[in-house]
Amino acid sequence: MAKKSIRSSFDFYQNNTNIKWIVLAVSVVISISSIYYTNILVNQLKVREKQQVELYAKALQYILSETANDNIIFVSEEIIQKNISIPIIWVTKDGTYEYRNIKIEESWSDRHKKEVLEKELAEMKRLYDPIPMIYESEDGAVENLGNIYYKNSFLLSQLIAYPYIQLSVIAIFGFIAYLAFNYSRVAEQNRVWVGLAKETAHQLGTPLSSLMAWIEVLREDETLNKKGIVEELEKDIRKLTVVTERFSSIGSAPALKKENVVALIHNVINYLRPRVSSKIKIEVFTLSENITAEVHAPLFEWVIENVCKNAVDAIGTSGSIAIKILRGSDSKVFIDISDTGKGIPRSKLTQVFRPGFTTKKRGWGLGLTLAKRIIETYHDGRIFVKSSEENQGTTFRIALNTSP
Ligand SMILES: Nc1ncnc2c1ncn2[C@@H]1O[C@H](COP(=O)(O)OP(=O)(O)O)[C@@H](O)[C@H]1O
Ligand SMILES: [Mg+2]
């Protein structure tokens, strides 16, 4: 019952990827609608600005065609002077430039002024068709006075850029928040790992030291000694000591030492062999009996034990496990553990190292998580599925460093 409820909380890891997709989809929808809505506003404002420029052009034409009167003053003050936002260049028929709302300093040289105006003009030509200035005199004669070019006001340009700036700021903020959240989550996981491991080691320590004292007492009993009982008990106590050492090491940053990995692997195999079916062959292949790497022996043995136990489970009744130890280039040692078991489906390859991922009735799905943590966090090495074929077998590779 208890196990069931813990398991369902582990399922959260599987749902987690779904939640990520939902968050991603919602953000995309929000971004697109925000850009779409601003686009509508931009288009409305564009129409209005065009009308304004047309009105401006008409006002200019009107002024040119009238002799001075009150209307002219009104038109000049209310329409022409009040356009303070839309940049305009009027290129007259004879090629001179009249301009409004373009940043040009009086102190600039004529050449520099012209350069700036020409650059602006090129941009305007690219953006909108010009408005022709046609002057019609009272006797019906038509005279072309040039063209008025214009571009978006500063307000409109800002509105066009606004959703992108806004979304970028939100995205950067979201990214930073995600990093901070992830960091605190990892820190919290680390505290749980370390705390639980230390507590376990601590709790095992007390009965273990008393068991060691008891065994000295039992050793003095001739009959027990003869039956080999003391020896068997001693073996179990030694294993318990190893387990305690593993837990206490994972609870502290363990110091790495140059160790002969071939010998360590033989230790594990010798421990496992009598405990697995005789139909499962376990073999070690290596070119040298002395290959060293920087490891913490109790934790490294734990990893090999976990990976080999998984291989045994994958094989089922009969098959073989091959452990190849090789020296790689650039100061690496590779340990390939291959089995002839049921294999890992391609879709599950990335999941096997996740906490809680198991396909076994009695599994906890922590073995490979622990192995990854030990190899990658404590040994600065790598562990990964090198290859796997359904119903053919799987090879796990562990890469270790030969020097610190
Ligand atoms: N050698 C292997 N062959 C096939 N599947 C494997 C192998 N090693 C691990 N797996 C898969 O990865 C899962 C997780 O392994 P592990 O983290 O050790 O947890 P557990 O052994 O408790 O299930 C296993 O349940 C199994 O489905
Ligand atoms: Mg396992």
Side-chain angles (χ1 to χ4, degrees):
M1 186 62 198
K3 186 162 174 180
K4 212 170 182 184
S5 68
I6 288 171
R7 203 169 270 275
S8 64
S9 73
F10 270 146
D11 287 343
F12 176 73
Y13 280 98
Q14 266 82 57
N15 291 333
N16 222 356
T17 38
N18 291 343
I19 293 173
K20 271 186 204 150
W21 285 116
I22 293 171
V23 169
L24 192 70
V26 171
S27 343
V28 168
V29 169
I30 291 176
S31 309
I32 290 176
S33 11
S34 143
I35 291 172
Y36 180 74
Y37 179 63
T38 329
N39 225 11
I40 293 177
L41 294 183
V42 163
N43 285 333
Q44 287 176 356
L45 200 59
K46 268 185 189 166
V47 170
R48 203 179 283 183
E49 288 198 351
K50 183 166 189 241
Q51 286 168 349
Q52 241 172 303
V53 177
E54 279 165 353
L55 182 63
Y56 179 83
K58 284 227 177 75
L60 275 180
Q61 287 164 15
Y62 176 72
I63 283 186
L64 292 169
S65 64
E66 287 285 316
T67 43
N69 61 26
D70 281 354
N71 288 345
I72 288 210
I73 295 170
F74 170 79
V75 168
S76 162
E77 281 182 355
E78 294 302 312
I79 301 175
I80 298 181
Q81 306 297 335
K82 281 213 172 148
N83 171 22
I84 50 165
S85 61
I86 305 172
I88 279 170
I89 298 177
W90 172 18
V91 184
T92 61
K93 187 179 58 178
D94 46 18
T96 58
Y97 295 161
E98 302 276 339
Y99 58 85
R100 281 194 75 88
N101 305 322
I102 290 174
K103 211 177 154 281
I104 282 181
E105 302 279 336
E106 277 307 314
S107 58
W108 290 357
S109 70
D110 284 349
R111 228 183 89 203
H112 186 45
K113 281 183 191 167
K114 198 163 171 215
E115 269 171 15
V116 172
L117 276 176
E118 256 154 25
K119 230 181 86 198
E120 291 281 343
L121 190 62
E123 195 191 337
M124 291 175 177
K125 281 182 175 166
R126 204 166 38 78
L127 276 176
Y128 299 112
D129 289 337
I131 293 168
M133 290 279 287
I134 309 290
Y135 167 56
E136 212 173 314
S137 61
E138 263 158 38
D139 53 17
V142 172
E143 200 184 343
N144 184 357
L145 295 176
N147 283 321
I148 286 194
Y149 295 89
Y150 66 104
K151 68 173 194 177
N152 299 333
S153 66
F154 183 59
L155 180 72
L156 181 54
S157 312
Q158 271 184 318
L159 190 63
I160 291 171
Y162 174 72
Y164 299 100
I165 294 171
Q166 184 195 36
L167 291 173
S168 313
V169 169
I170 292 173
I172 292 169
F173 174 76
F175 184 64
I176 292 173
Y178 171 78
L179 286 186
F181 173 74
N182 220 22
Y183 174 79
S184 77
R185 199 182 54 138
V186 169
E188 193 176 286
Q189 275 178 1
N190 279 342
R191 277 200 297 276
V192 174
W193 271 108
V194 168
L196 200 60
K198 273 190 177 157
E199 175 67 16
T200 309
H202 178 74
Q203 292 215 6
L204 281 173
T206 323
L208 200 56
S209 36
S210 95
L211 274 176
M212 278 175 188
W214 279 113
I215 215 150
E216 291 310 316
V217 177
L218 295 179
R219 220 191 288 279
E220 280 153 22
D221 188 313
E222 289 283 319
T223 48
L224 283 180
N225 245 337
K226 256 189 210 131
K227 283 183 191 156
I229 289 176
V230 176
E231 210 176 297
E232 282 305 311
L233 263 179
E234 239 182 341
K235 268 193 207 159
D236 287 333
I237 288 176
R238 230 177 287 140
K239 179 67 185 176
L240 266 180
T241 314
V242 169
V243 170
T244 311
E245 205 180 341
R246 286 172 178 175
F247 277 105
S248 96
S249 317
I250 208 160
S252 58
L256 305 185
K257 268 202 327 220
K258 210 173 242 330
E259 301 266 6
N260 180 2
V261 290
V262 183
L264 294 180
I265 287 173
H266 277 302
N267 284 349
V268 178
I269 305 300
N270 291 339
Y271 169 76
L272 282 178
R273 218 173 246 136
R275 287 171 176 79
V276 303
S277 146
S278 58
K279 283 186 196 148
I280 296 178
K281 252 189 3 192
I282 308 179
E283 282 176 302
V284 177
F285 299 94
T286 172
L287 290 177
S288 157
E289 282 302 314
N290 185 16
I291 297 180
T292 55
E294 284 289 313
V295 293
H296 182 264
L299 290 183
F300 174 71
E301 287 181 352
W302 199 0
V303 171
I304 300 295
E305 198 179 303
N306 274 336
V307 177
C308 287
K309 276 185 179 163
N310 280 346
V312 169
D313 292 340
I315 288 169
T317 46
S318 74
S320 60
I321 298 170
I323 304 175
K324 290 194 195 103
I325 307 158
L326 18 128
R327 278 200 192 96
S329 50
D330 45 84
S331 56
K332 296 267 182 241
V333 168
F334 299 117
I335 299 153
D336 287 356
I337 301 173
S338 311
D339 62 63
T340 56
K342 63 179 168 60
I344 305 168
R346 191 169 283 271
S347 61
K348 298 281 186 287
L349 277 182
T350 55
Q351 297 187 19
V352 293
F353 289 101
R354 287 210 186 143
F357 177 81
T358 181
T359 51
K360 299 168 194 167
K361 257 202 197 115
R362 292 168 162 274
W364 279 107
L366 283 181
L368 287 179
T369 313
L370 188 71
K372 197 174 184 72
R373 186 179 172 86
I374 289 174
I375 296 297
E376 298 192 347
T377 310
Y378 296 143
H379 288 81
D380 196 22
R382 250 161 67 62
I383 176 169
F384 55 97
V385 180
K386 192 175 163 228
S387 62
S388 188
E389 198 74 49
E390 269 185 271
N391 299 320
Q392 302 282 314
T394 306
T395 300
F396 275 86
R397 169 165 277 193
I398 297 168
L400 295 169
N401 304 312
T402 53
S403 49

